[in-house]
Amino acid sequence: MTGLEQYHQDALSKLRNKELLIGDAFIDGVWVSKEKKFPVYEPSTGTILGNVSNCELADFQKAIESTESVQEEYFLSTTGAQRGALLRKWNDLILANQHDSKSIIFAVILSLENGKPYAEAFGEVAYAASFVSWFAEEAPRAYGHTIPSATPNTMVSDVREPVGVCGIITPWNFPAAMITRKVAPALGAGCTVVIKPPSETPYSCAILAKLAIEAGFPPKSVQVCPTKDRKAATELATNPLVKKISFTGSTGVGKMLATLAAGTLKKVGLELGGNAPLIVFDDADLDVTIEGVIASKFRCSGQTCVCANRIYVQRSIEKEFTKRLVEAVSRLEYGRGLDCTTTQGPLVNQSAVDKVATHISDALAKGAKVEIGGEAPNGAGYFFPPTVLSSVPTDALVTIDETFGPLAAICTFDTEEEVIKLANDTEFGLAGYLFSKNIGRCHRVAARMKVGMVAVNTGKVSATEAPFGGVKASGYGREGSLYGMEEYQVIKAITVGNLHR
Ligand SMILES: NC(=O)c1ccc[n+]([C@@H]2O[C@H](COP(=O)([O-])OP(=O)(O)OC[C@H]3O[C@@H](n4cnc5c(N)ncnc54)[C@H](O)[C@@H]3O)[C@@H](O)[C@H]2O)c1
Ligand SMILES: O=CCCC(=O)O
């Protein structure tokens, strides 16, 4: 057995509950093993982790019809409090399977299929559960209003109802949390769902579905259709029984799905690509800043839509900032997700590695300098070392296009006005970061950044309670937070007249 095979064996043997590595679809309340399967690769080794059922158009249609057949009954037969209690049970089951004293289950599978370091995978399972727990609390609080009527003897009120069947399409970078951030509010509101999980990381989705059914949700309320057949998946955007489509992924696919969804006027929620600016002013606390840059830039090896993509540093502190960032980056260790020293996992596939290399060579050709990292190693797995480039010109490809990899590109600026223009000079508007000790400047610049989320003096912008979403080509709709459930609801106004006759 080669070293890689041994590693693979050891990881799989850690899966005490092998039942959680499920390669089936979940349609019409039963697990279905399709004859046609697609391979799922482990990014740490490039080897096949397993083969998963490849759903076709008829499977999507069956899943949609099946979940539609139970949606109204599910909503009418439960109160918000009861749906909240089901979510609470689901949350508890997710956390119970995150880790136990003998072995580690959900987080190991997540790390294997995505490649992220075990600590990050463990954290993601908790992050995924936090949305379930949050919406367990929100479900009983779907308040409406009573509205003073302008007509005598009349009462007006509004109530919130579920939009209906929801199509859910998510990406591979957060195989669990992107699903619960959508499915928990949908189920809490009284909707039912058909999920098309990412084909790179379908196993976490299957675990979540299994645990949701174990928690007591009606078996047909959650359906899972893994597929490599993108055309079949677009059924979620065109089928008239689907009333809402919620998508997280690239801007191009999001636009295409929104266009298709317009045919049946579905509600649409889009969490799309980013190109986050991170601004460091000369009065910033550099310890806080470096910690923030590492957290923002290198989370999930740079593969999050909110990762800092362009780092703008005020000219007078560029040298000191670069020195300190290089020191911090030199302490990161890239390697296989389940190796205990790893802080940076592999990228998702070879084309992700190639994209980082392209951004580096473009920046170098335009005058940038490699401070650390810079070249992909040979060997198995899709690795790229954490890299810092300095003197990156503001027209380099990396400032225009989201790298989605571990490349910190440092550009310099002189004035506040100049950097606000640079930060906003992008079609995207998801997250933005700024570091400064001047409170007036923090508020002033935050107000002018054209993004959906601003982080000030921290690299952490994502939290269950904070509205997550973008503006411009980064999409629309908000997830998590007090707004997340209304994305899955419609408002019905009820007017009762002639009260005194
Ligand atoms: N805003 C956010 O919350 C957020 C979160 C994560 C990722 N992203 C963005 O996602 C991108 C990276 O993820 P990706 O490469 O998986 O994106 P992607 O758009 O290729 O894929 C996302 C999902 O859509 C599916 N898909 C792809 N083409 C489809 C089609 N024609 N019809 C139906 N489904 C289709 C994929 O299988 C996957 O499940 C980045 O741009 C990143 O910024 C955004
Ligand atoms: O990739 C983007 C979403 C991850 C997050 O919630 O921060």
Side-chain angles (χ1 to χ4, degrees), residues 406-417:
L407 165 60
I410 303 173
C411 311
T412 47
F413 70 93
D414 291 301
T415 67
E416 186 177 307
E417 200 54 33

Side-chain angles (χ1 to χ4, degrees), residues 150-210:
T151 308
N153 297 329
T154 300
M155 196 177 114
V156 180
S157 59
D158 69 59
V159 292
R160 285 171 185 266
E161 295 188 340
V163 64
V165 170
C166 300
I168 307 287
I169 304 183
T170 57
W172 47 264
N173 59 346
F174 286 80
M178 294 304 98
I179 288 174
T180 55
R181 193 153 76 183
K182 297 175 188 306
V183 173
L187 291 173
C191 300
T192 59
V193 299
V194 177
I195 312 168
K196 201 241 37 100
S199 52
E200 297 84 351
T201 60
Y203 288 114
S204 294
C205 178
I207 297 174
L208 289 168
K210 180 177 187 293

Side-chain angles (χ1 to χ4, degrees), residues 127 173-174 178 181 299 303-306 462 468:
Y127 186 41
N173 59 346
F174 286 80
M178 294 304 98
R181 193 153 76 183
R299 176 174 172 231
Q303 301 173 109
T304 91
C305 52
V306 291
S462 312
F468 192 101

